[in-house]
Amino acid sequence: MAAPSVEYTIGGVKIHFPCKAYPSQLAMMNSIMRGLNYGKHCLLESPTGSGKSLALLCSALAWQQAQHGRSAFIVTSGKLCSEMIYSSTEAISFHACSVSATSPEEFKPKRQSLASRLSEKLNSSLNSDVEKEDDFQAEKKRIRTMFGLINKLILSVCFLALSIQSPGPCSLCPCALVKESVKAKDNDDKKKIPKIFFGTRTHKQITQITHEMKRTLYSSVPMTILSSRDHTCVNPDVAPHANRHERCKELLEAKDGRSCHYYRKVHKMQDQSTLQWVHGLHQAWDIEDLVGLGKRLRSCSYFAARELMQGASIVFCPYNYLLDPLIRENMDISLDGQILVLDEAHNIEDCARESASYTLDQNSLLMARDDLDSMVNSNIRPSHHEPLRAFCYSIFNWMQESQSLLSQRGFETACKVWTGKEVLGIFHGIGITAGTFGMLKTHLTKVLEKEERVGPGNEDTVLVPVINSATISVLKSLFMVLDFLYKDNCKFAEDYRVALQQSYAWTNQTQPDVPDAQGFFARPRHRRRQTIRVKTEVLTLSFWCLNPAVAFSDLGGSVHSIVLTSGTLSPMGSFSSELGVQFSIQLEASHVISKSQVWVGTVGSGPQGRKLCATFQHAETYAFQDEVGALLLHICQTVAKGVLCFLPSYKMLDKLRDRWTNTGLWEKLEERKTVITEPRGGGKGDFDELLQTYYDAIRHCGERDGALLIAVCRGKVSEGLDFTDDNARAVVTIGIPFPNIKDLQVELKMRYNDQHCKTRGLLSGHRWYEIQAYRALNQALGRCIRHKNDWGALILVDDRFGNNPNKYITGLSKWVRQLVWHHDTFSNAMQSLVAFSQFQQRAEVAQAGKQTLTSPVSSPASQLPVTTQEQGLPQPSQPLTPLVKQPEICHQGTNTPALSVSLTPERVEQNGTAVENKVSNILLISNCLHEMSCFDSKYVGLYVLILIYNKHTCNFKCLNIQAKAALELQSEALVLTWHIR
């Protein structure tokens, strides 16, 4: 249900926002409006948890509706509200979708569904209403049916489009049922309203986006979600198969005599109006809603989502659907003149390079060659299959001959690398040129036609066998790469590297049955054949695109606007040069949270004082692994509820898990929290089940205090998942997730950037290498703070942060970089973390009791280690419940502000008597004092703060400003007043 909105007018467009917008959201919407109004491209960075997705949706949809010349629709509790300017008679005469504007044949629906029949009755009632009275007609009794009343009610809320020359069909009334016919007849030169293609990295992020869209007044905008069969197929004959794509095609082609009855009923879901008004999906829906509807109607959700794209105003999909030319072709996606919004676009460079690259293994090429060979031998379109077979033979023979050129690179690996221009020269020698390549594409088009005309006059058609889908995939992928290589007179040839690599892999092979002495094959009925491990040679040919601008070359000049946004785009200057797109509108927004809500600290040593440097040499040692384990155990004992720990690689995760299992540390972690590790690969269902286990462990705490999720940077957990509130009270990162420097593709990319950094403005190879690490690190850190009232701790474990902050801290996000504090010892870090955690827990309890709160301690309070009589690391205590009142600030003179805060001291029970807990109260007071003293950053220096507390004196070492405070007990409240010098 859409909440009451706040209206903003930006760039001449009224935007309905579901709440009061943050300054960062207003800045984003202003930038987006400028980009859409003038057809410019936008590069927008806004921290995670600052509401950038909501700003994207509202601004883009408001601009789109403004192009129709109408206000935003307001949908509340399933009821429609719209300002009416004209009478209902005028609405019938001038309605945007009025049937009088076009002949009945043009508006006749293709299928006589329930919605179609209702539409016909509505149209006939309209014609009868406007018909002139005839005095000579016999009087007829006027009967008001319920259907007529409903029709008039619907007409009374339809939006009026009087002054629009080319309005889009209304999505809120039955007249939208004619939208397919209107679209088919829209061949004039009137301006078309751009669709919004909203791309994210994963389907999980799409679910979060559609959930945000439900909160807005634009939740009823026609939409669809494009996805693979793995997410949307509901046919029980297809779902169990490992390759759903292949099984689906078999059923569609009825190869085994069986067809897909779900596909035959796709018409039940392929219309936007039917989806909204017949099936009840009035507001924004996610992929699970569509799949559930498909199961209920026994209709194909996969093809329904593709059909819904025709009438959709906004289309959600993973952004490789928009960048990969093969996927765009298969999904019938046309981006000409459309709006392209890419959220979480920090990975867009990698995704663009991958979409223009292809790796082919020798076995796949052999199977494609054999498939084409069988077609030629069967005399099936030999004139078209023969050139394609020769093409595969040429590539295969060249790979075989080039093995003699391979050079050793590592253990059992060898490679040979050519530039794109060198490969084109080699291909020219084996008969593959720009001219012959054009002919090969024509042959491929012909062999994919499933029907062929025969007989006199080519009047009859017959079905013709076609090559299998694996062969089609190999040929299309190779042709896609060659298309880029030959494009614009080989413009992008220098942007490619072609690598032939030889390696070895262990595979399972089944031993053949051996006959006995009499020649019989005997094997027990329930005994499986034995398999043996065999080391086999693997030969691969990789066409690597090193320039993401290659994939963007099809988009930059054809789309209306490109909007890239993420929380980790910095440095933003490299995007224009890397993508080949001029981003004339750029924004770096600030975070919406207070500095006091996040604790950011670097830790360079563990509990035993050992240095922690997560380089390859140190990470392999047992001393490092044991120290990291002890550190993580202390953090789990200090921080309640959910803790996320991110490692640089799956290899390190496996090593740490094995070591901790052997030393017994893993068992200690499980005694404290439920421990879950991110799986390498696996299906969507398994991953969702794992996350649910993590959430349940936090929500239903028993003997264990929450859960610990150990994940990997660049994995599923670190990208786009929302760990709100208790689901992530601390994020621990171990090391810096640099890419594998020994990876051949990484090495070639670094060389490529060094070669073109001066001419194209690219980052140097070394700088590019570092940026890849920090973008992954910033994404992991962003899992913690997810909304304005959230709080948490960010713990960066590696001594490189403290030893060389100018090099390693500058790569962090702006909002994190400003709050970082370096800790000399692990003990100091834990004392500060305890203070922060306790204060936040107090604040939560006080808020639950509807009491007025003051701002909690800020991250710099990490420099308030308390001198107490307790030895060793502090242990977390139970949440405390002081009453804290809002501090009052008064200025005494020009430069001497005074602050005061009152709070109720905590009391504990000793021998049946309630006494003051001095240690906890001193800790609480020091946190309050430090927070209050940070309001003016110009007072910077070293000082010793003396607190007089109930005739006791305690010393605090602090790094910030000079101050002196005195405390005195007045009734049941402790009043603290101090002056800043």
Side-chain angles (χ1 to χ4, degrees), residues 4 13 78 118 172 205 293 325 362 410 505 523 526 704 706 751 833:
V13 176
L118 291 175
L172 299 178
Q205 292 169 344
L293 181 61
Q362 189 179 38
R523 178 157 47 98
H526 300 291
R704 300 172 180 173
R751 291 180 187 174
L833 184 59

Side-chain angles (χ1 to χ4, degrees), residues 4 161 231 417 423 743 747 789:
H231 293 87
V417 179
V423 166
D743 185 88
E747 180 182 324
N789 297 319

Side-chain angles (χ1 to χ4, degrees), residues 5 44 142 205 274 323 368 462 600 626 630 634 673 715 742 827 850 948:
S5 67
L44 313 175
R142 188 175 181 181
Q205 292 169 344
T274 304
L323 299 179
V462 295
V600 185
D626 294 342
H634 275 97
K673 293 182 182 291
K742 296 183 179 180
S827 176
K850 297 182 180 180
I948 303 174

Side-chain angles (χ1 to χ4, degrees), residues 157 197 239 337 401 454 675 699:
V157 297
F197 284 86
E401 295 169 359
V454 296
V675 183
R699 188 179 302 109

Side-chain angles (χ1 to χ4, degrees), residues 348-381:
I348 202 66
E349 296 175 8
D350 296 338
C351 187
R353 284 189 285 108
E354 291 171 3
S355 67
S357 303
Y358 178 60
T359 295
L360 171 70
D361 65 90
Q362 189 179 38
N363 291 334
S364 298
L365 184 60
L366 277 174
M367 288 189 291
R369 184 198 66 181
D370 294 342
D371 189 22
L372 292 166
D373 211 5
S374 64
M375 289 292 181
V376 174
N377 295 335
S378 302
N379 200 31
I380 299 173
R381 293 173 174 168

Side-chain angles (χ1 to χ4, degrees), residues 701-718:
C701 292
E703 297 179 355
R704 300 172 180 173
D705 181 21
L708 167 66
L709 176 55
I710 305 177
V712 174
C713 292
R714 300 186 185 90
K716 292 182 180 179
V717 175
S718 67

Side-chain angles (χ1 to χ4, degrees), residues 198-264:
F198 199 111
T200 65
R201 186 172 183 265
T202 64
H203 287 90
K204 198 76 175 178
Q205 292 169 344
I206 294 178
T207 300
Q208 296 173 3
I209 294 295
T210 55
H211 179 74
E212 290 292 303
M213 188 173 169
K214 280 185 179 180
R215 299 174 52 197
T216 72
L217 298 184
Y218 309 98
S219 59
S220 63
V221 168
M223 58 164 285
T224 191
I225 301 174
L226 301 182
S227 180
S228 65
R229 291 176 174 86
D230 292 336
H231 293 87
T232 52
C233 182
V234 295
N235 191 332
D237 292 336
V238 176
H241 285 256
N243 193 333
R244 295 186 180 184
H245 178 75
E246 290 297 319
R247 181 55 181 162
C248 179
K249 291 192 66 175
E250 290 176 2
L251 290 179
L252 292 179
E253 296 170 2
K255 288 185 177 181
D256 55 358
R258 301 173 61 189
S259 62
C260 181
H261 57 275
Y262 284 80
Y263 177 72
R264 294 199 300 268

Side-chain angles (χ1 to χ4, degrees), residues 140-192:
K140 296 180 180 179
K141 187 175 181 180
R142 188 175 181 181
I143 302 176
R144 295 188 177 184
T145 64
M146 181 61 68
F147 179 78
L149 294 175
I150 293 175
N151 283 339
K152 291 191 176 183
L153 177 61
I154 293 176
L155 282 175
S156 66
V157 297
C158 287
F159 188 84
L160 304 182
L162 228 167
S163 58
I164 310 303
Q165 291 186 351
S166 58
C170 172
S171 64
L172 299 178
C173 62
C175 59
L177 296 171
V178 301
K179 61 99 181 146
E180 288 188 359
S181 299
V182 173
K183 178 178 65 66
K185 295 297 180 178
D186 189 19
N187 296 323
D188 55 15
D189 57 352
K190 296 178 181 179
K191 180 181 177 181
K192 294 184 179 179

